[in-house]
Structure formats: C-alpha cells, structure tokens
Amino acid sequence: MRKAAFFLSGLGLLIFFGCATTAPPLAQEEVQRIDYGTYPENYEALIKSHFAKTLLESEAAQYRFGKPYAGFIQHGPLLGGKVLDAGYFAEVWLKAKDRSGGYLPEKHLAVLMKNGEVLLELTEEEFNTIKRAQ
C-alpha cells in the first residue's frame, strides 16, 4: 500500500512539473505589437524616486544602473502564455543604509517602467522571467 501511495505521489509531481514548463515563445509579429510605452530617458530619476518611498535614508542610497531595454513577462502555459506585463526593464544595483546607519550588502534588482512610472520591482531570481523584445 505504501509503494502505491509513493508511486501516485511521484506520478502527481511528475505531471505537475511536466506542465509547469515555460510558455512557448511569442511570434515576432506578436512581440512587435506589444505596447512597451515610451523609452524612459529619465530612468535613473524614476528609479531613485521609486526607492525613495521605501528606503530609510534615501538620500544616502548608492545606485548603479543598467541601460533600459524593452521586454515583457509572460504567463506560463497553463494560463495561456499571455503577456502579463510589458515595458522597459532596467537592472539596478542598490546599496542602502540600515537602521543603525551602516550600509547593507548591495542588492541586484530590476524594475519595469512604462510611460514615466515604475510598475514592478523584480529580484535577481526573477530576472529569468523577462523576455527581451529584440
């Protein structure tokens, strides 16, 4: 009986993870039709303003920025592979102070911007969900 339960559990996990693969790539025409908004010329100011809302001493924060690129995040295949969010993504390396006044270790993040505002913040682990438009 235990072997049967173990087998069924293993089979269930196999089916679950087998279905949880990445979504199929969008056709080039679909990628070109996505609304990415306008390129954020002032992306550094947008990002600093976004983080200023949550940091203890935002004026003391240290930033490094990557150049923004058009991209999108797609639902998985179980949800139809539809585009969840799209815009311009920029990588950010942020070093902020803690409550005692010392600097925390640098965090590597990404933000999604569209039409002059930051919509989403992603951790380094979430980067692999971003699909580049070009």
Side-chain angles (χ1 to χ4, degrees):
M1 188 59 135
R2 273 187 128 166
K3 287 183 181 180
F6 181 77
F7 174 75
L8 289 175
S9 296
L11 182 62
L13 286 173
L14 181 64
I15 291 170
F16 176 76
F17 286 113
C19 294
T21 60
T22 59
L26 296 178
Q28 190 60 33
E29 303 83 46
E30 292 176 291
V31 172
Q32 291 173 345
R33 283 195 307 255
I34 295 173
D35 177 18
Y36 299 101
T38 56
Y39 183 83
E41 297 291 341
N42 62 337
Y43 66 94
E44 291 183 11
L46 284 172
I47 293 169
K48 285 180 179 181
S49 175
H50 169 75
F51 284 109
K53 297 171 191 168
T54 58
L55 296 176
L56 291 174
E57 292 185 44
S58 60
E59 65 282 347
Q62 299 172 358
Y63 296 89
R64 291 186 298 130
F65 301 99
K67 291 278 186 200
Y69 57 89
F72 58 94
I73 299 173
Q74 216 176 339
H75 277 295
L78 294 176
L79 297 174
K82 303 275 189 231
V83 172
L84 178 64
D85 280 308
Y88 285 88
F89 291 90
E91 290 184 66
V92 181
W93 292 264
L94 171 63
K95 200 167 185 181
K97 287 190 173 185
D98 62 13
R99 294 193 187 281
S100 66
Y103 278 97
L104 296 165
E106 186 176 67
K107 289 176 74 175
H108 186 196
L109 306 163
V111 296
L112 168 62
M113 298 166 284
K114 188 170 186 177
N115 298 327
E117 68 178 299
V118 174
L119 301 179
L120 187 63
E121 186 180 315
L122 295 109
T123 64
E124 188 171 15
E125 293 81 27
E126 296 169 321
F127 286 177
N128 61 359
T129 63
I130 301 170
K131 309 270 190 340
R132 288 184 183 251
Q134 288 108 4

